[in-house]
Amino acid sequence: MKRLLLAMIAVSTIVGIVFYAGSPSENEGMASVSTATQGIAEPSREMASASSAVIVRAGENVMHAEWEDTDLAREIQSHFPLTVDMIHYGGREYYGSLDWTPMYSGKGKLSFENGDITYCAKNNTLAIFYDQTDHPNLTMEVIRVGRINAEDLDTMYRFGNREEFTFAVP
């Protein structure tokens, strides 16, 4: 009888913890719920990730962006204010080399969405994609680290063949 009672208490405690911990809005900052519920109750990295506001300047033009909450994005952001000399390419993007190499990277993708700010490990560059073309597929993998707000994308059409972009926290 004691064993049954203890088992019922243990199960109800775990169920209560899982129910409470299963709500991402209530525990976004929680590092751990308990060892009994790890892997079940913790929000996934995607669910718990948050973005932060970033300002992107080119000359007198100011664009607003959201920065990803990933190791790579945080490492790049640790170099803010970061100025990158970028070249216009293909009527769809500006890209430029970093003068240091991030230690975090990861698997990228061979496509982009308008507004994506990406890092390419193969050539150690940042890029801002602003216009889908007939061929949005890329030859090198890119990892999104941020995204220009949709209402600021039209600003990208004002630039010349080469621009200095400065990324900073407001």
Side-chain angles (χ1 to χ4, degrees):
M1 183 70 167
K2 265 187 174 177
R3 283 186 182 167
L4 179 59
L5 183 59
L6 288 174
M8 288 174 55
I9 291 170
V11 167
S12 67
T13 302
I14 290 172
V15 168
I17 290 171
V18 169
F19 177 78
Y20 173 76
S23 172
S25 63
E26 293 183 54
N27 72 5
E28 281 186 347
M30 292 179 67
S32 171
V33 176
S34 78
T35 54
T37 60
Q38 273 185 333
I40 298 171
E42 288 184 19
S44 71
R45 185 80 170 134
E46 281 181 28
M47 285 174 52
S49 71
S51 57
S52 61
V54 169
I55 297 292
V56 181
R57 284 186 167 79
E60 298 297 316
N61 298 287
V62 176
M63 296 171 286
H64 300 85
E66 293 296 320
W67 210 250
E68 299 287 319
D69 184 21
T70 63
D71 290 335
L72 173 62
R74 282 189 300 274
E75 181 180 4
I76 293 170
Q77 191 174 25
S78 74
H79 289 265
F80 285 7
L82 174 64
T83 300
V84 181
D85 185 31
M86 295 183 148
I87 298 168
H88 189 238
Y89 178 77
R92 68 179 189 193
E93 71 184 271
Y94 281 86
Y95 76 94
S97 297
L98 296 177
D99 59 3
W100 52 277
T101 303
M103 59 186 228
Y104 296 105
S105 191
K107 183 122 174 85
K109 61 183 186 172
L110 293 171
S111 62
F112 63 90
E113 294 179 30
N114 291 345
D116 282 356
I117 302 169
T118 64
Y119 173 73
C120 177
K122 186 169 185 169
N123 60 9
N124 196 40
T125 57
L126 276 185
I128 302 173
F129 290 94
Y130 66 92
D131 194 2
Q132 289 282 346
T133 64
D134 292 338
H135 305 289
N137 297 327
L138 305 172
T139 58
M140 291 181 265
E141 290 183 354
V142 296
I143 304 164
R144 186 167 78 187
V145 294
R147 184 177 194 99
I148 299 285
N149 293 352
E151 58 272 7
D152 289 337
L153 277 179
D154 285 344
T155 305
M156 298 295 294
Y157 292 97
R158 300 181 194 159
F159 305 135
N161 287 330
R162 178 178 228 123
E163 293 288 333
E164 264 192 1
F165 288 86
T166 300
F167 301 83
V169 177

